[in-house]
Structures are given as structure tokens and as C-alpha cells.
Amino acid sequence: MRLLRLAPLILLALAPSPPAARAEGPRPEGLRVLFIGNSFTRFHGLPRMVSRLAEHDLGAPRLRAEVETRAGCTLRRHWIGRRAVRRIRSGAYTHVVLQGHSLRPIDRPDELEDYARRFEGEIERAGARTVLYATWARKGGSRFYRRRGEELPDPAAMQGRIDRVYGRLAHDLDAALAPVGRAWLGASERHPDLSLHGRDGIHPTIAGKNLSACVLYGAITGMSHEGIA
């Protein structure tokens, strides 16, 4: 799927601030980005896709993406393991993307906020910028919603909970916010035939990965993905 097909969906789903204009001439100084998370970050090579967007956007800085991911990992486990912290301290990153476990905003929001704050302290001391990767809700009709009953009856309810937690965190930490889940929800509502969830109803398809990459690209660079083939 070409990224251009996703462009109007993302612009409708994201915050109203306009994207930065494309510049002509030499590329700006490069960015070095560390992605910390789990399979929602690593699936289908999402960080590489973000760097590829920068490669093909002549007005954007070059972007080197590195990853620190483990399957099912929470920010708490990353913190306790210390490897991610050591990389932040020694990696000379310009940005660090934090992706918490997809269910922590639902079941343990206090834990997610606590460890995001701990990481943000390390990121700030290292002179980098924190980017919060707000993930997506489970696919509609999955057993997850039947088990949750009236508490979380559908993806809109789950996404609302996720967005409130990450939105509050971004405000409190003065961090950049990548509202990936909001973009997924908007795209799914407008184009129900667009398959963003994989067969498990949890992880992304290639299209889901592409949409996520576009949102993260905007949050990191402040630029739009539009016009990038």
C-alpha cells in the first residue's frame, strides 16, 4: 500500500497543528532515535520504516533509528533491566520513543506513568527529546471486549482510555505525542475495509505498520509524510 493512500486519514486523525513546510537545499543535521518498546515497535520493521521516510524526504534530516525491544516488555521491565537506560546515557540520541505495553494504560496506568517519568528524567539529562508512542486498541469484535463487558465495550472506548493516559503524560512531561492509535481508529471508521490489525487482532499488518510509521515520523520530525512515495 502506498503511503499516499494513507495521507488523508492521518491528517484527519491527528492534532490540528499544521506540518512544517518542506525546505530546499542541504539536508538539516541528522537525528538519532532510540525506540524502546516491544513487538508493537519491532513488528514489520517499524523503526526502519520511519528512517526510510526520512531518506526519501529531501527536506527532512537524515534519521538513524535504533531499537531496544523485547516481546511483551513493559517500561517497568525495561527500566529494571537497565540496558535501555545505559543506551540512553551513552548513545547521544536526539529522540527516544517510549512505547509501553498495550494494556498498561488500561490495567496499570499508574505503573506506566511512573516508569515513563523515570525514563523521561534520563532522556532529559541526556539532552534528548521524549516521544510517547500511544498505541492502538484491540480489533473490534475480539474476545477482549466480551471479557471486559460494559467497562470497555468496543475499540472507541479502549482507545479513549489509552489516549487519556498518554495525553496527560505528554502534557505533564512536555513530551512529543505520537497518537498512533487515534490514527488507526480514524482510519478504521472511515475505511472499514482497510486491514490494520493482523489475524490475532492485536499486532499490525503492513498497512498498520505504515500508518504507525507516518504518525511517528511526524511526531519526531515535525514534518508531514505527504508527498513521500
Side-chain angles (χ1 to χ4, degrees), residues 79-131:
W79 179 266
I80 292 172
R82 306 305 287 174
R83 177 177 166 84
V85 175
R86 289 194 295 270
R87 293 189 68 174
I88 291 169
R89 291 175 177 175
S90 62
Y93 297 104
T94 58
H95 298 74
V96 178
V97 178
L98 298 178
Q99 178 251 307
H101 190 281
S102 60
L103 293 182
R104 281 302 187 264
I106 308 300
D107 297 331
R108 300 182 187 178
D110 292 343
E111 178 191 298
L112 173 64
E113 293 180 19
D114 179 16
Y115 285 92
R117 289 177 186 278
R118 297 188 193 203
F119 270 110
E120 200 280 333
E122 293 289 343
I123 294 165
E124 182 179 25
R125 281 189 287 275
R129 171 85 161 141
T130 300
V131 180

Side-chain angles (χ1 to χ4, degrees), residues 51-226:
S51 68
R52 286 183 63 197
L53 285 168
E55 287 174 12
H56 292 280
D57 185 351
L58 298 182
R62 297 190 184 279
L63 191 155
R64 176 179 174 183
E66 301 180 23
V67 295
E68 182 61 41
T69 59
R70 291 178 59 189
C73 204
T74 63
L75 291 183
R76 179 178 180 273
R77 285 177 60 192
H78 276 299
W79 179 266
I80 292 172
R82 306 305 287 174
R83 177 177 166 84
V85 175
R86 289 194 295 270
R87 293 189 68 174
I88 291 169
R89 291 175 177 175
S90 62
Y93 297 104
T94 58
H95 298 74
V96 178
V97 178
L98 298 178
Q99 178 251 307
H101 190 281
S102 60
L103 293 182
R104 281 302 187 264
I106 308 300
D107 297 331
R108 300 182 187 178
D110 292 343
E111 178 191 298
L112 173 64
E113 293 180 19
D114 179 16
Y115 285 92
R117 289 177 186 278
R118 297 188 193 203
F119 270 110
E120 200 280 333
E122 293 289 343
I123 294 165
E124 182 179 25
R125 281 189 287 275
R129 171 85 161 141
T130 300
V131 180
L132 297 176
Y133 172 179
T135 54
W136 52 86
R138 296 290 195 267
K139 186 176 182 179
S142 73
R143 287 180 296 177
F144 174 84
Y145 298 110
R146 293 195 293 274
R147 290 198 302 267
R148 295 290 175 141
E150 295 183 0
E151 176 200 2
L152 288 175
D154 53 38
M158 182 176 180
Q159 194 61 55
R161 187 88 65 86
I162 294 170
D163 288 344
R164 283 193 293 275
V165 171
Y166 276 104
R168 182 172 61 247
L169 256 178
H171 177 270
D172 293 346
L173 302 180
D174 192 25
L177 178 64
V180 173
R182 193 193 317 165
W184 275 49
L185 184 63
S188 297
E189 289 175 346
R190 292 175 178 84
H191 294 268
D193 61 329
L194 186 63
S195 179
L196 300 175
H197 294 86
R199 291 184 179 180
D200 63 1
I202 300 172
H203 292 91
T205 60
I206 295 294
K209 181 263 294 187
N210 286 348
L211 178 53
S212 303
C214 289
V215 179
L216 284 160
Y217 180 74
I220 294 167
T221 67
M223 303 185 73
S224 171
H225 67 282
E226 283 194 286

